[in-house]
Amino acid sequence: MGDTSLLQRLDIAETLDRVTAGVRAGHIRPYRHVNGFTKIVVAGYADGSRLTLHYWPADPQRGEHVSRPHDHRFPFRSILLGGRQHFVELEEAPGGAPWRRFTYRPYLSGRLARVVFDGSVELAPVRRVDRAPLRGQYETTSSIIHQAVTDRGQACATLVLRGPRERLRSQVYYRPDEPPPRGGVQLGRRLERAEVLRQLDDVAAMISH
């Protein structure tokens, strides 16, 4: 996955300053990912690896945000910068809870995704991975199914180093009574610059503690 020591060597405060300057100048244009977080592409590398910053704004009325189970098109490593989050890893296995599997193919860097039904399956949890801010990394392959559980009582941010893409599509799972996106298309949205700058200020406060 490119330089596997990158996250250890990275000066996070300096990286954040560079991203903030890029957003102010209009060179970096973050967006709200279809899975509910702000996504900022920090850097790309020659082997296809990419460094991104993810931010979940606080929303105490909603409590925990539990992502749909999903795998990825690439392996990745992630550092929790602030907030509270853990992962639950799952596998397709008889006797698990019923889910509906869809293939998921993003376009336009994740701002749009095509979602197509691919069969009914059962999923069983196999591991919980707890995280602590600025301590250790979460690392996963492209084939591991997982859910990110993010406490929305406070803001949360992660820095993610994704490896080169290994396939065009990934899998995402919906509960039997949960409708898929209308027309099989999920849309992200652009964010106002002022909103993103407020979020970056929040991340800076997280790593300064």
Side-chain angles (χ1 to χ4, degrees):
M1 190 194 303
D3 182 354
T4 57
S5 67
L6 175 64
L7 287 182
Q8 286 94 345
R9 295 189 295 102
L10 199 64
D11 185 324
I12 296 174
E14 180 181 321
T15 299
L16 190 61
D17 287 344
R18 178 164 52 84
V19 170
T20 301
V23 171
R24 289 187 187 279
H27 303 317
I28 298 176
R29 301 187 64 190
Y31 63 95
R32 179 67 49 80
H33 192 274
V34 295
N35 290 325
F37 54 85
T38 298
K39 182 174 180 179
I40 303 175
V41 177
V42 176
Y45 304 97
D47 68 348
S49 298
R50 181 178 289 177
L51 185 68
T52 59
L53 177 68
H54 298 177
Y55 177 90
W56 290 258
D59 189 352
Q61 301 298 322
R62 294 180 58 187
E64 287 185 333
H65 177 269
V66 183
S67 72
R68 296 185 182 94
H70 61 282
D71 60 16
H72 287 269
R73 299 173 299 148
F74 41 76
F76 73 85
R77 299 167 185 261
S78 171
I79 293 176
L80 179 65
L81 301 180
R84 292 191 292 270
Q85 185 183 70
H86 69 269
F87 286 96
V88 177
E89 296 180 350
L90 310 100
E91 64 180 6
E92 294 188 10
W99 291 83
R100 292 189 300 157
R101 183 179 61 213
F102 289 74
T103 60
Y104 176 93
R105 182 171 182 179
Y107 298 87
L108 301 176
S109 301
R111 296 192 299 275
L112 179 150
R114 184 74 176 170
V115 183
V116 180
F117 179 66
D118 190 40
S120 296
V121 300
E122 296 176 331
L123 290 179
V126 294
R127 187 167 79 117
R128 171 178 167 137
V129 183
D130 292 309
R131 316 186 71 188
L134 300 173
R135 292 175 56 191
Q137 301 178 37
Y138 176 70
E139 181 176 355
T140 185
T141 68
S142 61
S143 61
I144 291 177
I145 303 165
H146 64 192
Q147 291 176 287
V149 182
T150 307
D151 184 346
R152 298 294 293 275
Q154 62 189 81
C156 180
T158 63
L159 195 61
V160 178
L161 177 63
R162 51 153 280 190
R165 188 175 64 194
E166 297 178 345
R167 57 182 192 266
L168 293 176
R169 297 173 179 82
S170 58
Q171 314 297 324
V172 62
Y173 299 80
Y174 285 70
R175 295 188 182 278
D177 60 350
E178 184 182 14
R182 181 173 297 179
V185 175
Q186 283 185 315
L187 296 173
R189 66 177 178 86
R190 286 290 186 189
L191 296 170
E192 294 295 329
R193 185 179 307 176
E195 179 182 357
V196 176
L197 291 172
R198 285 193 298 269
Q199 294 178 357
L200 290 170
D201 284 345
D202 196 11
V203 178
M206 291 177 185
I207 66 174
S208 67
H209 291 161

